[in-house]
Amino acid sequence: MANQNQSPLKAIRLRFTAIVSLSFIIMPLIAHAAAVTFGLAIWPDLQGALRQYYLLAFVGFMVFWAVFYAWRLFTPILQWLDSTRHSRFAPADIHIRLQNFSRDYWGFYLCYILAAPQIYYWTNHGLADFELGLFGQLVLLQLVVAILIGLPFYLSAIDSLGRVVALIGITAPIFTIKSKLMLVGGFVPLLTNAVLMLYFWHHTGYQSVGALILLAILGTTSLTITLLSIRTTTRSLRPVQQVLNRDSATSYEELAKLRPQSTDEIGYLTQTLSTLFQHLSDQRSHTRAIFETASEGIIVTNQHDLIITFNPAAEKLFGYRAVEIIGQPFSRLCANISLPRLADNNLGEREIECVNKQGASITIALRISEMQQSGIRMFTCMVADISERKAAEKKLRNAEARYRDLVETAHDLVWSVDEQGYWTYLNDAAKSIYGYSPVEMLGRHVTEFSSPEYLQRDQQAFKQVLEGKELLQYETIHLCRDGSHRHLSFNANGQVNVDGNVTHIRGTAHDITEQKAYEKQLAYQAEHDSLTGLFNRHYFQEELERLVARIARSGANAALFYIDLDQFKYVNDTLGHAAGDQLLLEVTELLRKHMRGGDLLARFGGDEFTLLLYNIEYDDVKKLADKLRMIFENYHFFRENNNFNVTCSIGVAIIDNHARSADEVLAQADLACNLAKTCGRNRTYIYNPEDKDKLGMAEDMGWASRVREVLDNDRFELVYQPIVGISDGKIESYEVLLRMPYDDGQTILPGGFMPAAERFGLIHSIDRWTVARSIRTLAQLRNDGNPVRFAINLSGRAFEDHGLLPLIRAAIKETGLEPSSITFEITETAAIANLNAASRFIEALRDIGCRFALDDFGSGFCSFTYLKHLPVDTLKIDGSFVQGLAHAPVDQAMVQSMNQVAHALGKQTIAESVENEETLLLLKEFGVDYAQGHFMGRPSSLIN
């Protein structure tokens, strides 16, 4: 910008040089002409002076000196504006030179006025003819002419210098308006009148007092008018003078208080300046407010990267106070950063690393804008701390990466479709579910993969999503690449636009094929016998109830066959459980082959089968029963070169509209089967109401009714008998015993009601009630600070109850009970009767953390043979060996043997039925661990 000002400045220099030079050429000519005119000099003498060249040489010197002065005046200005070279001149020096122009200009003229008359007289007359009066008049005439001629050129030169300051600026007034008014309005008219008066006197030779008075009046009038003009101008300029006299710290608010002092242009200009300063004050206030309160740092630097402005936000960001950092290079904050280079490259916002006062690294966003101030290049930097934003962005990117990895690697299908139902996104789970890669499925319609039987349901489901409904756990079946079926559970919701229209649908899908297969397997296991694959007792009883209810409405007839194998126990005890299982499988296949299609066959118990015959006439029942019996009579079981003739006893109950309940029908068939056995086995027997008193079945049915009532009303009771350590006499635990209240206030022992409960399918409910109540009671006792342990008895059919183990797990989890504080007991006979199931059941309890005891040990057949196969913790020696221990050497030997074998297997022993001290001492001598019996403590509802 400075270099661009040099061209007009050179033109101004030429004009200024011409004006000054021309004034020193014209002024001597007119001055000597005036001298000749006024008779102060004669033309021959003037020609003589010119022929001697002294006067010409002096005038030439003056012209040369004027040109040299003009060039010397402008040279420092041009050097200062030239940014390519270093100048030793400052703006203040240049303004001083300009201010000295008036002195130098009139000094030139004064030199001429003093020297020219002397040269004239010296070259023509010499010192002998010197006339002081004439010489004085010549000097005075030269002075008047010089002023009159030099003044226009002087004003023209000042005008040229005014153009100079327009380019370089002005720091203080160089020429005052008052001096110009004095020259134009006072001094010039006065000199003009004086010249005219002298001319008049010279030609007329007449001098009068009136002319002098007139000259004085004219001069006084001119001076008065000039002084009045100067006074008015001074008053007008007073506000401006106030501004000029203020220092640089004067605020815009103070300058806005300027008020006009005249009605001319200066007054109007003063008012305009006041308004301008008010606007500048408001703008500065706004700018200062923005600058001080800006949340971003504002840093201004000059072209040398030196900081000249540093706002509070920048102080807070970098930790430096403004007074500390102003004047420092910007690189002190951000190393290796050049603001001019960044501005030239126009990089916009960029992220850079900087260091604060404490030396900590911070990440900032930097925006640079360039501006010009008095021709100087400046840079404004907007800086913002984005460390937290960058950290948040990093977290977001990491979260997005984790989410992307999670979605892409998820086993569940993550998907989206457009409003038409075409896939727009699928994750990699599509490959494992459908057998297609996501790319192969994109653009295809969802229902293209629907199983035909689910196509219409799928279309309706997605239509509901498009209507704004959410799809939750919608189960369907889709087809894979290989044609196999996949059970899928869909969750989906529609994404709507501002108009509320669904633009696309997003969701997930979970492959539940294995879950469905497992559920199907569980449902199958819940309804089927694990050995034979037939329906189990639970399912059979439910079907029997449905059949009885249906027949009560329709009036049709049906029949129930209760089939009991006659030789099963003998085969099982002789050849072992494996042979018994094989026999059951062959019998199952035999029954399947010879039963009617549509009838229901079930395994009801160990060697008991039940068969429901639908829509059968009474006359056909006896024939079918005898046919089945004959089939078994002709059947032979071969095992290990042994041949067994296995027969069966069949009890039949007719189901008609007189049947009141499934339990009644089942009891009738059971009674008929028992009568068939009583009659010699290998028989069929059809129930007759008159037969129910023959085996006491009516009493059993009564007990079953009472048991059901007590269960329904939660009236069973628990009592607790202590199990005591023989070595220290401390109570190790309590055995939980079940009692059933009776009408007369007495309680019934399990032996009184358990057979009926087993016969009529209530035993599982009793087991569950006993376990749940015992665990809750034990948890309460231990929470109250009593570190007691329980031994809970289970029935022999507990292994068949698939819901018992989940109940135990749930009860322990709910109460927070320590599982090791519970020991479950089951009789040896029951365990041996179903060894495989017993082993699995015991292992499951041990996995939970519970302990297990084998009750009545020694009462079974070949007890030691099976002991090593059962993972029990404790053996309870049967009371039949303990009751007469003091007087029976054989019992003593048996107890010693059982105790030694148990200890050898790492198991503890408990002796039941300890009734006296003598027996207790013998047990202590044998090394038995614990004792239980009336001598140790009777069963009680209270625990000490």
Side-chain angles (χ1 to χ4, degrees):
M1 184 69 183
N3 291 332
Q4 295 176 1
N5 291 331
Q6 287 189 333
S7 296
L9 188 62
K10 291 178 179 179
I12 295 172
R13 181 178 62 177
L14 291 175
R15 181 173 180 271
F16 178 83
T17 304
I19 291 171
V20 175
S21 301
L22 189 61
S23 68
F24 283 105
I25 294 174
I26 295 176
M27 190 274 291
L29 296 176
I30 296 176
H32 285 85
V36 173
T37 303
F38 281 89
L40 299 177
I42 59 175
W43 179 245
D45 292 342
L46 183 61
Q47 287 179 332
L50 293 175
R51 280 195 295 267
Q52 294 184 22
Y53 300 108
Y54 294 111
L55 186 60
L56 287 177
F58 178 72
V59 172
F61 171 76
M62 294 296 292
V63 172
F64 170 77
W65 181 83
V67 173
F68 174 76
Y69 173 81
W71 281 81
R72 185 171 175 271
L73 178 63
F74 277 85
T75 297
I77 301 176
L78 290 171
Q79 291 181 1
W80 179 68
L81 290 177
D82 188 359
S83 60
T84 63
R85 56 185 294 182
H86 178 70
S87 174
R88 60 186 180 87
F89 297 100
D93 299 329
I94 296 174
H95 279 280
I96 292 174
R97 287 175 176 255
L98 295 178
Q99 288 176 337
N100 293 335
F101 170 71
S102 296
R103 181 199 64 188
D104 297 339
Y105 181 86
W106 294 113
F108 299 156
Y109 273 86
L110 182 61
C111 290
Y112 174 79
I113 292 169
L114 295 177
Q118 296 184 38
I119 295 173
Y120 172 77
Y121 270 93
W122 179 67
T123 55
N124 289 288
H125 304 286
L127 297 177
D129 298 329
F130 179 74
E131 296 182 11
L132 181 60
L134 185 63
F135 179 78
Q137 292 181 12
L138 181 60
V139 171
L140 181 61
L141 180 63
Q142 292 286 325
L143 175 63
V144 172
V145 172
I147 292 174
L148 291 176
I149 300 302
L151 189 58
F153 289 100
Y154 171 73
L155 294 176
S156 297
I158 289 178
D159 180 66
S160 296
L161 294 180
R163 297 183 184 183
V164 172
V165 298
L167 296 177
I168 66 173
I170 183 171
T171 58
I174 298 176
F175 309 107
T176 64
I177 295 177
K178 291 187 290 183
S179 62
K180 292 181 180 179
L181 287 175
M182 181 61 74
L183 286 174
V184 175
F187 193 57
V188 171
L190 185 61
L191 289 178
T192 302
N193 291 333
V195 171
L196 291 175
M197 186 61 68
L198 288 174
Y199 184 77
F200 174 75
W201 289 341
H202 177 71
H203 284 279
T204 62
Y206 176 72
Q207 298 183 4
S208 65
V209 176
L212 293 174
I213 294 173
L214 180 61
L215 178 62
I217 292 172
L218 289 175
T220 303
T221 302
S222 298
L223 289 174
T224 302
I225 293 173
T226 301
L227 291 175
L228 290 175
S229 297
I230 291 173
R231 179 184 177 189
T232 303
T233 303
T234 302
R235 182 177 179 85
S236 299
L237 291 174
R238 187 174 300 161
V240 178
Q241 193 65 38
Q242 292 176 1
V243 173
L244 296 177
N245 292 334
R246 302 278 182 94
D247 58 33
S248 58
T250 303
S251 65
Y252 289 139
E253 290 82 356
E254 295 178 355
L255 295 175
K257 297 177 182 179
L258 293 176
R259 294 294 179 266
Q261 301 293 323
S262 64
T263 59
D264 54 11
E265 290 87 347
I266 296 177
Y268 180 74
L269 178 60
T270 302
Q271 181 174 316
T272 303
L273 286 174
S274 176
T275 304
L276 175 61
F277 286 133
Q278 183 62 51
H279 290 325
L280 290 175
S281 174
D282 295 341
Q283 186 176 2
R284 170 181 270 182
S285 297
H286 295 161
T287 304
R288 176 58 61 181
I290 295 173
F291 181 80
E292 296 291 341
T293 62
S295 59
E296 289 186 335
I298 301 175
I299 304 173
V300 180
T301 67
N302 60 17
Q303 58 187 350
H304 303 297
D305 262 1
L306 298 179
I307 297 173
I308 59 176
T309 303
F310 206 72
N311 77 331
E315 292 180 340
K316 182 178 179 181
L317 176 60
F318 291 99
Y320 293 100
R321 295 174 58 197
V323 295
E324 296 179 90
I325 201 67
I326 288 178
Q328 300 294 321
F330 186 80
S331 59
R332 182 171 179 180
L333 303 177
C334 304
N336 302 321
I337 295 298
S338 173
L339 296 181
R341 185 168 63 252
L342 293 180
D344 293 339
N345 293 335
N346 193 24
L347 296 178
E349 180 175 306
R350 62 176 296 167
E351 298 173 4
I352 60 175
E353 292 293 328
C354 295
V355 179
N356 61 16
K357 185 176 181 180
Q358 290 72 32
S361 177
I362 55 175
T363 304
I364 66 169
L366 175 65
R367 298 192 304 275
I368 304 173
S369 60
E370 182 179 347
M371 61 180 179
Q372 294 285 338
Q373 183 172 335
S374 300
I376 300 174
R377 196 181 186 194
M378 314 268 305
F379 304 96
T380 300
C381 304
M382 304 294 292
V383 294
D385 186 1
I386 58 173
S387 301
E388 293 184 0
R389 189 186 82 187
K390 297 300 291 184
E393 289 176 355
K394 183 177 181 181
K395 289 182 179 179
L396 181 60
R397 287 195 299 271
N398 293 338
E400 289 176 349
R402 288 194 299 270
Y403 173 77
R404 187 164 49 252
D405 293 341
L406 179 63
V407 169
E408 293 299 332
T409 60
H411 294 294
D412 285 354
L413 182 70
V414 181
W415 56 270
S416 64
V417 297
D418 59 20
E419 69 275 12
Q420 303 298 325
Y422 292 93
W423 298 113
T424 57
Y425 172 78
L426 297 110
N427 67 340
D428 290 340
K431 182 69 176 178
S432 59
I433 294 176
Y434 290 95
Y436 296 98
S437 67
V439 176
E440 293 177 293
M441 296 179 65
L442 293 178
R444 300 171 67 176
H445 202 277
V446 175
T447 56
E448 183 180 338
F449 299 88
S450 298
S451 179
E453 62 270 21
Y454 282 84
L455 177 59
Q456 188 173 357
R457 289 182 66 246
D458 290 353
Q459 291 173 340
Q460 184 63 30
F462 278 88
K463 180 180 178 182
Q464 292 178 354
V465 178
L466 288 173
E467 293 173 353
K469 296 181 180 179
E470 188 174 6
L471 200 65
L472 293 175
Q473 296 181 353
Y474 168 73
E475 295 185 4
T476 183
I477 297 179
H478 279 194
L479 299 177
C480 301
R481 180 192 287 271
D482 59 4
S484 60
H485 291 71
R486 284 285 182 178
H487 291 263
L488 301 176
S489 175
F490 277 86
N491 294 307
N493 54 32
Q495 306 299 306
V496 299
N497 57 17
V498 293
D499 299 325
N501 299 321
V502 175
T503 58
H504 62 284
I505 301 172
R506 295 186 300 192
T508 60
H510 181 58
D511 188 354
I512 57 173
T513 305
E514 294 183 2
Q515 176 184 333
K516 285 295 184 181
Y518 182 66
E519 290 176 355
K520 184 176 181 181
Q521 182 182 3
L522 286 180
Y524 179 87
Q525 292 176 350
E527 297 176 348
H528 291 76
D529 175 59
S530 59
L531 176 63
T532 63
L534 298 175
F535 287 110
N536 57 17
R537 179 175 185 156
H538 174 72
Y539 181 83
F540 176 81
Q541 287 181 307
E542 289 182 344
E543 177 60 22
L544 181 59
E545 290 175 356
R546 290 191 291 267
L547 178 61
V548 170
R550 188 164 61 247
I551 288 178
R553 295 191 301 269
S554 64
N557 292 330
L560 168 59
F561 286 8
Y562 197 104
I563 306 169
D564 192 335
L565 302 183
D566 294 331
Q567 286 80 27
F568 177 76
K569 181 172 177 57
Y570 177 75
V571 172
N572 199 57
D573 290 345
T574 303
L575 300 180
H577 289 283
D581 291 345
Q582 182 62 34
L583 173 58
L584 291 174
L585 290 172
E586 292 186 12
V587 167
T588 299
E589 188 63 26
L590 189 67
L591 288 171
R592 280 175 172 166
K593 286 181 180 179
H594 296 89
M595 62 182 285
R596 298 186 314 168
D599 291 340
L600 178 65
L601 177 64
R603 183 187 177 194
F604 198 73
D607 59 347
E608 299 168 343
F609 295 85
T610 51
L611 178 63
L612 276 178
L613 297 94
Y614 303 93
N615 300 319
I616 188 170
E617 297 296 332
Y618 182 82
D619 295 339
D620 296 329
V621 171
K622 179 65 174 174
K623 294 178 183 179
L624 287 175
D626 288 338
K627 180 180 178 182
L628 279 178
R629 185 193 63 77
M630 288 298 297
I631 291 171
F632 274 88
E633 187 176 351
N634 295 324
Y635 166 70
H636 293 272
F637 178 67
F638 295 94
R639 185 77 174 188
E640 297 179 359
N641 298 321
N642 293 312
N643 184 0
F644 296 89
N645 179 235
V646 179
T647 60
C648 68
S649 298
I650 303 176
V652 180
I654 304 300
I655 307 173
D656 54 21
N657 55 8
H658 297 294
R660 290 178 294 182
S661 67
D663 287 344
E664 182 184 62
V665 173
L666 186 60
Q668 292 171 359
D670 189 16
L671 175 60
C673 183
N674 279 278
L675 290 172
K677 289 183 178 182
T678 304
C679 293
R681 300 181 184 275
N682 192 20
R683 297 283 190 277
T684 61
Y685 194 97
I686 299 177
Y687 172 78
N688 188 324
E690 298 177 357
D691 297 331
K692 64 182 182 180
D693 294 331
K694 293 181 180 180
L695 293 175
M697 184 60 69
E699 183 179 358
D700 276 357
M701 292 177 64
W703 277 117
S705 178
R706 292 190 188 97
V707 170
R708 190 183 302 278
E709 179 185 357
V710 172
L711 278 172
D712 292 342
N713 293 283
D714 195 26
R715 292 177 53 218
F716 273 111
E717 297 175 356
L718 298 178
V719 295
Y720 313 95
Q721 185 174 28
I723 300 174
V724 180
I726 294 177
S727 62
D728 55 12
K730 294 182 180 179
I731 297 176
E732 190 273 342
S733 60
Y734 288 87
E735 181 177 4
V736 180
L737 303 173
L738 186 65
R739 300 289 186 265
M740 189 177 80
Y742 198 58
D743 295 339
D744 58 1
Q746 301 295 319
T747 57
I748 308 300
L749 299 178
F753 59 84
M754 291 296 279
E758 289 189 12
R759 183 179 296 277
F760 292 100
L762 299 174
I763 190 62
H764 293 333
S765 298
I766 293 176
D767 279 336
R768 295 183 185 187
W769 187 94
T770 303
V771 169
R773 176 61 62 85
S774 300
I775 291 177
R776 288 200 301 271
T777 302
L778 180 59
Q780 184 62 47
L781 289 170
R782 293 178 72 88
N783 289 337
D784 292 341
N786 191 345
V788 67
R789 301 178 72 253
F790 275 1
I792 304 173
N793 280 290
L794 299 176
S795 72
R797 291 187 178 273
F799 306 139
E800 302 172 4
D801 185 3
H802 298 294
L804 184 58
L805 279 173
L807 182 145
I808 293 172
R809 291 190 184 96
I812 291 176
K813 182 177 181 181
E814 179 182 352
T815 60
L817 186 64
E818 176 62 37
S820 62
S821 64
I822 307 173
T823 299
F824 289 97
E825 294 185 6
I826 200 163
T827 64
E828 176 195 5
T829 305
I832 293 175
N834 200 344
L835 187 62
N836 292 332
S839 298
R840 291 194 297 270
F841 186 81
I842 295 170
E843 287 288 0
L845 286 175
R846 288 168 62 89
D847 289 341
I848 296 173
C850 301
R851 297 168 62 83
F852 201 89
L854 196 61
D855 199 5
D856 296 340
F857 183 75
S859 62
F861 181 77
C862 299
S863 297
F864 292 148
T865 303
Y866 299 109
L867 180 59
K868 61 184 179 180
H869 298 296
L870 293 172
V872 298
D873 301 289
T874 306
L875 298 180
K876 297 189 74 173
I877 301 172
D878 188 73
S880 62
F881 299 103
V882 179
Q883 289 173 346
L885 186 66
H887 308 95
V890 174
D891 289 342
Q892 294 177 11
M894 292 292 292
V895 170
Q896 283 184 298
S897 298
M898 285 186 277
N899 185 66
Q900 290 173 356
V901 172
H903 285 175
L905 293 174
K907 306 178 190 304
Q908 294 181 320
T909 54
I910 301 174
E912 297 180 314
S913 302
V914 178
E915 306 295 337
N916 51 66
E917 185 178 3
E918 189 177 2
T919 300
L920 181 63
L921 292 175
L922 283 174
L923 293 172
K924 185 175 182 179
E925 180 182 341
F926 296 158
V928 176
D929 299 306
Y930 302 99
Q932 180 182 359
H934 288 174
F935 182 73
M936 315 306 299
R938 291 181 177 274
S940 171
S941 59
L942 299 177
I943 297 177
N944 296 328

